[in-house]
Amino acid sequence: MTRKHVIVPPFRDLDPGLEVAERLLAQGNPWLSGVVSALPDEHAAADRLNRILAGNGAAPRLVESGKGWRLVQTTAWPGCGDLVAGASGLAELIVFGGWRRIKRCAVCAQAFCDRTAGCSRRWCAGHRPHAGSRPVL
């Protein structure tokens, strides 16, 4: 029997961009939700994500953080900061964990990012078992 090995992305290193992406997906952001709606066609989803970044003038910058340096996407256009940060967070998650970490809720079809070690989450924050004890983004 062959065992699948799941690589767990360094979620702490992907934040705060990934947190922004999760918040925007939970709010139903049409741009990031459009990326998810293109799946399972990974090429179409990647094209949509690249268009978000390019269309908002995103440019990579090195920023010093407490643990060293990290790459962030910045834009000179006001009002695009969260969208660019969220798109960048999704892109980094895809690089580390693949497209399988971007999912839709089995109950309501809300897009979310799967942070579980086994990549086994099936529900958005609002429909997770025991969701009442956790804050919804």
Side-chain angles (χ1 to χ4, degrees):
M1 180 167 93
T2 305
R3 248 162 78 129
K4 280 186 169 179
H5 295 284
V6 177
I7 297 173
V8 180
F11 293 115
R12 286 187 201 134
D13 294 337
L14 298 179
D15 288 329
L18 185 56
E19 287 177 338
V20 173
E22 290 174 314
R23 179 174 47 81
L24 292 176
L25 286 171
Q27 293 171 349
N29 177 277
W31 296 101
L32 294 185
S33 294
V35 172
V36 179
S37 70
L39 292 171
D41 185 344
E42 294 177 0
H43 293 285
D47 183 53
R48 288 181 183 192
L49 193 53
N50 286 332
R51 285 179 190 220
I52 291 169
L53 290 168
N56 287 292
R61 297 283 185 265
L62 282 172
V63 176
E64 188 174 11
S65 70
K67 300 177 202 168
W69 294 89
R70 58 178 294 131
L71 186 66
V72 297
Q73 300 289 333
T74 61
T75 181
W77 297 334
C80 294
D82 272 0
L83 181 58
V84 168
S88 179
L90 274 185
E92 288 185 67
L93 176 64
I94 292 158
V95 167
F96 283 103
W99 289 99
R100 70 178 182 263
R101 294 227 174 242
I102 313 284
K103 298 182 177 179
R104 288 206 171 271
C105 178
V107 175
C108 69
Q110 173 70 49
F112 67 91
C113 300
D114 183 352
R115 288 185 180 232
T116 62
C119 198
S120 58
R121 189 169 147 199
R122 296 180 17 211
W123 306 281
C124 68
H127 289 107
R128 269 191 296 215
H130 311 295
S133 62
R134 296 182 186 158
V136 176
L137 297 176

